[in-house]
Amino acid sequence: MMKLAKWGILAFSLTFASTALAQDTSESTDEAFPTGTDPEVQVGQTYQAGSYDDWEMVCVKVESGPEPCEIGQLVLDDSANPIADVRVFPLPQGSQAIAGATMLTPLGVSLQNGLLFSVDEGDPKQYPYAFCNNVGCIARVGFTPLELQKLRKGATAKMGIRLFQDPNNPITIGISLKGFADAYTALTKRALEQ
């Protein structure tokens, strides 16, 4: 009985294959086997508007008016696991900080120590955490014109955190600045064009 079932499956497969081959040859392979299209971005959804080495520009689709955009980088560890996320965006004129950032760190950080941030070998500045959710803890950072210039010219930024379980051993997370200058220029240009 098992042999009969196997032969039945084989016969069906051969019939299906020969039917496919015997189809009208006037239809091209591309028409017969379409590769699909990207779905249209809906209002409220995010989409990638550009890629600049290690940085990407992400925007939110809106019904009308300027689309809010930011540049960012998902920071991975040596095993390609996400360990931090950095998003940078221009701030309205008239304040001391001309660019803002949200920096997501893993859960379990020591909140009272805050987040340390520096560029290349510069001295770190400390920033408080704004809140934590089920994904991680967020620090909001404001960059002055001089600090933004250091980011544009730098090679690596460093995010320093301390874990709640071991606050005496700080952890440094390196963030590549390759492509940051081009990404931020494209971001500000897009904002001006809108």
Side-chain angles (χ1 to χ4, degrees):
M1 185 71 172
M2 288 295 285
K3 287 183 181 181
L4 186 59
K6 287 181 184 177
W7 282 109
I9 292 171
L10 179 62
F12 175 76
S13 298
L14 289 173
T15 303
F16 181 75
S18 63
T19 304
L21 290 173
Q23 287 181 349
D24 184 8
T25 56
S26 64
E27 185 178 25
S28 74
T29 304
D30 289 340
E31 292 170 348
F33 299 95
T35 57
T37 58
D38 292 329
E40 186 177 332
V41 179
Q42 302 297 313
V43 172
Q45 291 180 329
T46 60
Y47 65 94
Q48 184 177 351
S51 182
Y52 310 87
D53 292 313
D54 294 332
W55 290 79
E56 67 176 356
M57 184 187 323
V58 177
C59 300
V60 178
K61 176 87 171 171
V62 296
E63 196 165 329
S64 64
E67 294 178 335
C69 299
E70 62 189 10
I71 59 172
Q73 181 181 150
L74 180 63
V75 183
L76 306 175
D77 66 10
D78 295 336
S79 301
N81 297 312
I83 54 172
D85 189 68
V86 179
R87 301 286 151 184
V88 179
F89 43 88
L91 292 174
Q93 294 182 355
S95 62
Q96 186 178 5
I98 63 168
T102 56
M103 299 189 183
L104 175 70
T105 65
L107 288 171
V109 295
S110 176
L111 298 177
Q112 66 269 22
N113 290 319
L115 176 129
L116 297 176
F117 188 81
S118 62
V119 176
D120 292 330
E121 300 308 316
D123 292 330
K125 289 181 82 173
Q126 186 174 5
Y127 300 91
Y129 288 102
F131 63 91
C132 296
N133 59 23
N134 61 343
V135 177
C137 294
I138 303 280
R140 292 185 178 139
V141 175
F143 295 120
T144 64
L146 180 59
E147 291 166 335
L148 185 61
Q149 191 64 19
K150 288 179 183 177
L151 284 167
R152 285 176 173 268
K153 292 182 177 181
T156 305
K158 297 173 189 160
M159 183 187 297
I161 62 172
R162 294 177 185 267
L163 297 178
F164 178 74
Q165 297 160 318
D166 192 9
N168 295 324
N169 291 314
I171 297 171
T172 301
I173 299 170
I175 303 162
S176 168
L177 294 176
K178 184 178 180 183
F180 178 86
D182 291 339
Y184 196 81
T185 298
L187 179 66
T188 54
K189 181 181 178 186
R190 184 181 178 102
L192 290 172
E193 289 172 350
Q194 294 183 5

